[in-house]
Amino acid sequence: MVHTRRTRRRRTLVPAVLFAAGLTLLAACGSAAGDGREASTASAAASPSRSAGSTDSKASADLLLAAEEGRPDAVREAIAGGADIEARDDRGRTPLLLAATGDHDVAARILVEAGADPDAQDDQDDSAWLVTGVTGSVKMARVLIPAEPDYTLENRYGGTSLIPAGEHGHADYVREVLKSTDMDVDHVNDLGWTALLEAVILGDGGKDHQEVVELLLDGGADPSLADGEGVTPLQHAEDKGQDEIAALLRAAGA
């Protein structure tokens, strides 16, 4: 009987103990849930309406316009307001590409420091770096070089930035690129032209193009590389009556 009473007592006590423990656990959970709700509410109150990492469409539109117009303060304000630094306009141009196209170096520097991509290409395959070959802007090139652009990136003609620079006679730009980058001086575009060929074929033979040809030759350009039809730079220069350039090419072993 003693054993029976003890057994019954244990059977009676165990549910009671479990019931009490359950109440304690529920109370603790309720308290924790309350604390969690309070913490969540406090966190929500402390957080800005825009979550971290999100972007603001109006700020992005403002950034595109500010970059295009070269307004550094407005660029900073738009970035601080949550603008997407890789936003695109209706032609696929990013803020950095717009700044580079307009040669707005201060605005471009702000964007580069914010992490903008110098290789982002638009609907015409132009990028901020590739555009510098067209504009010939040394100051913009110096802004973009620290961003480590891809110097093998090609424009819609299959050319690197050095090729349009040769066409336009941008001697200072060619000098800067040859000094500061490892760009292939003999890259051939889809037309079968190198920067040297482009300087001769599309150049006017004047002093600027003469200087470009001399810089390219000093930079290691091969004067014997012919175009897609087998015509060499020297033959083009002679056909166009570019006597000074022809002389430079002969002196280089063409």
Side-chain angles (χ1 to χ4, degrees), residues 39-134:
S40 176
T41 302
S43 175
S47 301
S49 58
R50 186 172 56 250
S51 60
S54 66
T55 58
D56 184 286
S57 58
K58 182 182 182 304
S60 297
D62 291 343
L63 178 59
L64 286 164
L65 183 59
E68 184 174 20
E69 296 178 348
R71 293 182 285 116
D73 290 342
V75 168
R76 290 191 187 93
E77 183 178 351
I79 293 174
D84 179 4
I85 60 172
E86 301 300 338
R88 303 272 182 157
D89 68 5
D90 57 358
R91 290 170 53 186
R93 298 175 297 180
T94 63
L96 184 56
L97 174 52
L98 289 167
T101 301
D103 202 23
H104 304 306
D105 59 312
V106 179
R109 190 182 305 279
I110 295 168
L111 289 162
V112 166
E113 291 173 352
D117 182 4
D119 300 324
Q121 292 177 279
D122 66 5
D123 296 345
Q124 296 294 313
D125 288 336
D126 285 326
S127 72
W129 176 258
L130 286 170
V131 160
T132 62
V134 178

Side-chain angles (χ1 to χ4, degrees), residues 7-231:
T7 301
R8 288 176 178 173
R9 189 175 182 184
R10 288 195 187 104
R11 289 175 181 172
T12 304
L13 287 174
V14 168
V17 169
L18 290 176
F19 179 74
L23 289 177
T24 303
L25 180 60
L26 286 172
C29 289
S31 176
D35 290 345
R37 285 192 297 271
E38 290 172 3
S40 176
T41 302
S43 175
S47 301
S49 58
R50 186 172 56 250
S51 60
S54 66
T55 58
D56 184 286
S57 58
K58 182 182 182 304
S60 297
D62 291 343
L63 178 59
L64 286 164
L65 183 59
E68 184 174 20
E69 296 178 348
R71 293 182 285 116
D73 290 342
V75 168
R76 290 191 187 93
E77 183 178 351
I79 293 174
D84 179 4
I85 60 172
E86 301 300 338
R88 303 272 182 157
D89 68 5
D90 57 358
R91 290 170 53 186
R93 298 175 297 180
T94 63
L96 184 56
L97 174 52
L98 289 167
T101 301
D103 202 23
H104 304 306
D105 59 312
V106 179
R109 190 182 305 279
I110 295 168
L111 289 162
V112 166
E113 291 173 352
D117 182 4
D119 300 324
Q121 292 177 279
D122 66 5
D123 296 345
Q124 296 294 313
D125 288 336
D126 285 326
S127 72
W129 176 258
L130 286 170
V131 160
T132 62
V134 178
T135 64
S137 176
V138 173
K139 66 180 182 180
M140 186 60 66
R142 289 173 177 168
V143 168
L144 295 174
I145 286 173
E148 300 181 351
D150 180 0
Y151 302 123
T152 68
L153 199 65
E154 298 178 358
N155 59 26
R156 61 187 177 278
Y157 303 111
T160 60
S161 70
L162 202 55
I163 293 181
E167 172 191 347
H168 294 291
H170 294 317
D172 289 340
Y173 178 87
V174 171
R175 182 182 295 105
E176 181 68 26
V177 167
L178 294 177
K179 179 183 73 173
S180 304
T181 79
D182 59 356
M183 189 176 296
D184 180 9
V185 70
D186 283 328
H187 176 85
V188 180
N189 68 11
D190 294 341
L191 301 173
W193 298 348
T194 61
L196 182 58
L197 278 162
E198 190 121 349
V200 177
I201 295 171
L202 298 180
D204 60 11
K207 290 184 178 180
D208 289 338
H209 286 93
Q210 291 171 33
E211 187 174 2
V212 165
V213 167
E214 189 170 15
L215 286 167
L216 291 170
L217 292 170
D218 289 344
D222 185 348
S224 68
L225 281 179
D227 63 19
E229 297 180 351
V231 183

